Amino acid sequence: MNKENWLKRGYVDEPVAQGLDLKAEIRKLCKEKHAVILGHYYQSDEIQEIADFIGDSLALAQWAAKTDAEIIVMCGVHFMGETAKILCPDKKVLIPDLNAGCSLADSCPAEAFAQFVKDHPGYTVISYVNTSAAVKAVTDVVVTSTNAKQIVESFPADEKIIFGPDRNLGSYINSITGRNMLLWNGACHVHEKFSVEKIIELKKQYPEAAVLVHPECKGTVAKLADKIGSTAGLLKFAMASELKDFIVATESGILYEMRKKCPEKNFIPVPPEDGASACNECNYMRMNTLEKLYLTLKHEWPEVKVDEEVAKKAIRPIRNMLEISEKLGL
Ligand code: 13P
Ligand code: SF4
C-alpha cells in the first residue's frame, strides 16, 4: 500500500489482478460492508449497471438522505459527495476519484460568491446544487434543474433573488417565471459546447425527432428544444412520448437509461461543436471507473470530507430544498 501515492493521485493507485470479476467483487464488498452505490446518469454504462441506484442530482440527494447503509459510494462528482456527507455526517461517504470536480461549481469560488451576497443585502440566495459546500453555506435554498422553477416560484413575485452559479439555467428560469433574478456568471463547459449548428444538422437527418435539451445549455440551443429539462425530466419526457427519434443535448451518459427504458426508440447524442463524431462526455464524471470503484470499496478511500463549520451552515439550504421538493411531490 503506497498511501502517499494515492494522496498524490486522489484515488487508489493499485494494480488489480487480471481476470478479476470486478462487478462480482464490488457486489460482494457492498454486502460485506453494508455499502450502497449511488450513481448519476452521466456515469459510464458499466457503473450505471452496477449501481444500487441511479438518478439525477435531486434523486441522489434524496436517496442519500434516507439510506440506512453505513457507507455511501458516490459515483458522481465531488459536490454530490459533499451533499451526501452534509446530509449524513455520521456515514462514510466515498468517491472513486477525488479529482471528479465540476467546471460549473468551479466557476463560483466561495469567497467571491460570499462577497457578491454581502454586496446585495436583502436578497434571497438560491444556489444550484452544482456548488461547493462553502457556497451552499451562504445560500438560503439549494435547487436542482428538476425543482428550480417550482422553488423560485415558491417565493413572492417581488422577492429579490440572487441565483448562482449557472447563467444559462438562471436565464431560463427567469424567462419561464417572469422573474428578474440577479445571475452569477457561471457555466458548465460540457453543456456550453452544444451548438445550434449541430442540432440543425441532426434535425435535417431526423426531421421527426424531438430535441431534448438540458437547461445548462446556452439560450440559443434551448430555443430549439421540444423539451427542456433535467436528466430525469428528459428521460420522463422520452418515456411518455409517442415519437420514435430523440436528439439529446446533454451528457451522453443519459442515453444508457433512455435506451434501457425505451429500447424501441432511437436516441441520437448531439456531438460537441469542436468534435465531429465524439459524444459530449463530462471528463469529471468519467474519472470514475469500475476499477477505481472496486478499489475505493476495498480500501474505503478516498473519503469525502466537509469542514464541520461549513457543513453546519450548508445543511439548512439543502434541507430547505428537500422539504420544498417533498411538499411539491418532486
Ligand atoms: P441533473 O442530473 O440534475 O439534471 O444535473 C445535471 C448535471 O450537470 C449534474 O452535474
Ligand atoms: Fe459539472 Fe457540467 Fe460535468 Fe455536470 S456535466 S458535473 S455541470 S462539469
Side-chain angles (χ1 to χ4, degrees):
M1 191 189 298
N2 183 352
K3 200 114 191 216
E4 214 173 289
N5 206 23
W6 299 2
L7 276 166
K8 222 168 18 192
R9 291 188 182 265
Y11 57 87
V12 179
D13 182 27
E14 177 184 279
V16 169
Q18 255 198 344
L20 190 72
D21 183 346
L22 286 176
K23 286 187 182 163
E25 292 299 317
I26 289 169
R27 291 293 4 136
K28 203 161 87 188
L29 285 168
C30 277
K31 207 165 166 202
E32 275 168 27
K33 299 184 179 219
H34 198 203
V36 69
I37 301 172
L38 307 186
H40 188 267
Y41 287 132
Y42 294 165
Q43 293 294 283
S44 65
D45 293 3
E46 50 186 12
I47 289 186
Q48 293 197 51
E49 250 172 62
I50 191 94
D52 293 285
F53 176 79
I54 58 161
D56 68 349
S57 337
L58 175 62
L60 293 179
Q62 289 169 324
W63 199 264
K66 68 182 180 204
T67 181
D68 61 1
E70 282 160 36
I71 296 177
I72 296 173
V73 190
M74 183 56 76
C75 287
V77 289
H78 196 257
F79 74 80
M80 295 174 175
E82 280 190 336
T83 304
K85 182 66 188 173
I86 293 165
L87 287 166
C88 314
D90 301 329
K91 294 190 196 298
K92 200 176 250 189
V93 177
L94 306 172
I95 187 162
D97 189 333
L98 270 180
N99 304 299
C102 167
S103 58
L104 179 50
D106 290 346
S107 69
C108 190
E111 269 182 38
F113 190 71
Q115 188 58 49
F116 185 64
V117 170
K118 227 184 203 168
D119 292 344
H120 295 90
Y123 276 72
T124 293
V125 183
I126 301 187
S127 295
Y128 196 31
V129 70
N130 299 42
T131 43
S132 65
V135 166
K136 291 185 177 81
V138 294
T139 291
D140 295 300
V141 196
V142 168
V143 297
T144 74
S145 37
T146 287
N147 57 24
K149 175 179 180 283
Q150 290 92 331
I151 290 185
V152 168
E153 281 177 335
S154 72
F155 288 93
D158 59 352
E159 185 91 9
K160 291 196 285 182
I161 299 175
I162 286 176
F163 185 93
D166 191 56
R167 59 172 176 253
N168 295 323
L169 175 65
S171 339
Y172 169 64
I173 300 295
N174 271 343
S175 74
I176 56 173
T177 58
R179 305 286 170 122
N180 189 21
M181 300 186 294
L182 200 54
L183 307 182
W184 183 263
N185 191 17
C188 154
H189 74 298
V190 178
H191 286 89
E192 283 250 306
K193 268 195 222 145
F194 289 105
S195 69
V196 166
E197 292 71 24
K198 292 279 177 194
I199 297 177
I200 290 177
E201 268 171 42
L202 285 171
K203 205 50 195 168
K204 279 186 195 147
Q205 267 176 274
Y206 303 93
E208 301 301 324
V211 178
L212 310 181
V213 174
H214 196 280
E216 287 172 24
C217 294
K218 291 176 287 199
T220 46
V221 167
K223 277 208 176 82
L224 303 173
D226 294 292
K227 169 72 186 172
I228 299 173
S230 63
T231 48
L234 300 180
L235 175 65
K236 207 163 139 195
F237 178 87
M239 284 163 70
S241 172
E242 301 278 299
L243 294 171
K244 191 179 164 288
D245 297 331
F246 300 87
I247 295 169
V248 185
T250 190
E251 215 273 7
S252 57
I254 186 66
L255 271 76
Y256 172 80
E257 191 65 8
M258 286 177 164
R259 287 174 177 148
K260 197 169 145 194
K261 289 269 161 57
C262 313
E264 72 293 355
K265 296 180 182 173
N266 183 25
F267 296 98
I268 307 121
V270 181
E273 129 189 92
D274 52 5
S277 59
C279 292
N280 261 300
E281 287 186 353
C282 172
N283 50 315
Y284 297 112
M285 285 278 181
R286 305 302 177 125
M287 282 177 180
N288 299 322
T289 61
L290 209 55
E291 197 170 294
K292 286 182 192 161
L293 170 57
Y294 161 68
L295 291 168
T296 290
L297 268 162
K298 182 175 167 196
H299 295 284
E300 298 182 24
W301 196 91
E303 232 188 297
V304 177
K305 303 267 192 192
V306 181
D307 175 86
E308 262 181 55
E309 287 309 307
V310 171
K312 267 189 217 157
K313 292 182 190 148
I315 196 159
R316 185 182 58 96
I318 300 173
R319 285 217 181 282
N320 284 345
M321 168 182 81
L322 295 177
E323 278 162 26
I324 301 175
S325 301
E326 199 178 341
K327 269 192 218 142
L328 293 167
L330 296 168

